[in-house]
Amino acid sequence: MRVRFAPSPTGYLHIGGLRTALYNYLLAKRHGGVFVLRVEDTDQTRFVADAEQDILDSLSWAGLSFEEGPGVGGAFGPYRQSERSARYKEVAEELVRLGKAYFAFDSSEEIEAMKGRHTTAENPTPRYDFNTRLEMVNSLTLSEADVKARLDRGDEFVVRLLVEPGQVVSFQDAVRGNVSFDSQAVDDQVLVKSDGLPTYHLANIVDDHDMQITHVIRGEEWLSSTPKHILLYNALGWSAPQMAHLPLILSPTGGKLSKRNAEKQGIPVSVQQYIQHGYEPGALLNFLALLGWNPGNDQEIMDLEEMASVFSLDRVGQAGVQFDLQKLSWFNEQYLRAKNTKDIAESVLPLVKDRFGDYSLGHVEGAVKLMIERMTFEKDILDAPYLFEAPTAYDEKSVQKRWKTDSSDLLTAFSSEFESLSSWDAASIEGCLKAKVERDALGLGSIMFPVRLSLTGEPSGPDLFGMMELLGKNEVLARMQKAANELR
RNA sequence: GCCGCGUUCGUCUAGGGGUCUAGGACGCUGCCCUUUCACGGCGGUAACACGGGUUCAAAUCCCGUACGCGGUACCA
């Protein structure tokens, strides 16, 4: 089994593209096959210089490694279509020779004019097809000599697929079953553009054939051009690979997850944006895998290996799926909590230093341990500034509501109690505090709240005693005293 | 318009004729845990698009309608 992910470097890798790559990867791993990356850069007008690098970087971040492709090589290279022009030309010529394709010399104005002539309410988008090709300037309407003369003269031309009406083109799709089209509805697709480069359709089938791709897994937007591909395979006497068209990822409101549409709803579209937001690659992959596929049981948290061990195309859904950012967040939380706190600390250390100054890895790890249950992203550690610096203000509402007349005195009293503590750890602090509460017959809340507020400035937060241990005795006493004075 | 694909809780889905008074997850929500908040645990909320068939029996099969999505480029 050989599969490929064939992105076009016309922009940064899209989240939907990553899912397509993932499904290809999973299928290959599941069957011990080969995963190929092929860059489909046949459109010079839409070429984006750093897009290929972005695709490479994004796949690498996600951990989707390929056995063959640009940079790593392979027996079927080159893997950039711009470097395979000669082969497409050869195949195009072969198709013309076989009478399956023809030269066309029409200018875009002439094509527009033809479309204008045929446009009606019932036929808003006329095609260049069996119905109209005989009114056009092509090797079907021109004499052989004329065609040769134009070619020799260097006139611009395109090569078009000759689609005969009256045939039914059908194929088995691995996720949709039998799909069939009437060839009448297929136009004489351009195979070679006037710049000499192939269109997607030609390059795609040539490469899939030459690279011995066995399974084509791509988005549903390709479903309606598949008959063209089947016709091409047939014309060349090649057998078509197994097709599998994935349901599209839709926006939460149902429409297409276009860049504009998505951004309006706060959904990142490029993988690069997910990286910047701090998503865990495993979480994103896990989420994406389940967007259109399921393992057939209730398991949701699965790493790449686990998914690869059970992946199959027949468990891929057929209906479009809506993107749910909240569920992605949940996945990210799950993955974050499964991570080693030291690793997280190491990764956020620069952020902490940048924001709060020079803290030790140990201190940051302690902060992470306190905060992990309430973080969605690693960077959320910054939402607890009080683990690094004294609060500069106290939450007004809480002060008004819960800061009692004796709170300051209590703070002072407990301060001196803590002062005498010989070992400063969460358990000792807790024991000390609770002992005094009992001795003085106080309510636990009457002291817990003032302490928390003095330490964090906020009415809620992570475990109080753990936090006190992390901050250290001096810092805790200083903050308590400060609040006692300021809020008196 | 035409062609294609699709349609189970708000969302992702299980389900492939009887075991479905339709299961799981996210979300929302109640209770419990608890020094707060969060986490967690235990509950709750909520769906077979509609209409015809076929069948003893349909969420499951067939047809139609509606709706959604995709395509209709010398873009991929």
Side-chain angles (χ1 to χ4, degrees), chain A residues 311-385:
Chain A
F311 187 81
S312 75
L313 287 175
D314 54 24
R315 294 209 66 88
V316 173
Q318 306 170 51
V321 289
Q322 293 184 201
F323 193 96
D324 182 359
L325 204 56
Q326 277 189 312
K327 184 124 189 192
L328 208 210
S329 286
W330 177 79
F331 273 108
N332 213 64
E333 286 162 7
Q334 304 307 308
Y335 275 78
L336 194 59
R337 284 169 204 160
K339 254 177 121 168
N340 188 311
T341 50
K342 191 175 174 196
D343 293 341
I344 299 175
E346 270 168 7
S347 127
V348 299
L349 190 60
L351 287 178
V352 169
K353 285 189 170 171
D354 185 53
R355 178 88 142 251
F356 304 115
D358 196 18
Y359 280 90
S360 71
L361 184 64
H363 183 92
V364 176
E365 188 185 354
V368 168
K369 280 181 172 161
L370 285 169
M371 287 295 293
I372 191 72
E373 299 288 288
R374 54 196 76 217
M375 289 160 58
T376 300
F377 301 103
E378 289 185 336
K379 67 181 179 208
D380 290 346
I381 190 68
L382 300 179
D383 292 344

Side-chain angles (χ1 to χ4, degrees), chain A residues 243-279:
Chain A
M243 298 291 175
H245 290 90
L246 270 23
L248 260 22
I249 297 180
L250 310 174
S251 105
T253 48
K256 188 177 172 184
L257 190 67
S258 66
K259 194 173 172 190
R260 223 186 108 197
N261 193 352
E263 272 163 9
K264 206 163 60 190
Q265 308 189 54
I267 296 175
V269 283
S270 75
V271 175
Q272 218 48 239
Q273 287 172 290
Y274 286 87
I275 300 174
Q276 278 162 17
H277 277 252
Y279 283 96

Side-chain angles (χ1 to χ4, degrees), chain A residues 44 55 104 113 119 121 158 206 221-222 242 244 267-268 293 319 333 336 341 367 377 385 395 424-425 433 484 487:
Chain A
Q44 302 215 292
I55 291 165
T119 300
V158 299
V206 170
E221 70 268 27
W222 293 109
Q242 167 74 62
I267 296 175
W293 170 81
E333 286 162 7
L336 194 59
T341 50
F377 301 103
D395 183 68
W424 191 256
D425 58 87
L433 180 138
L487 296 171

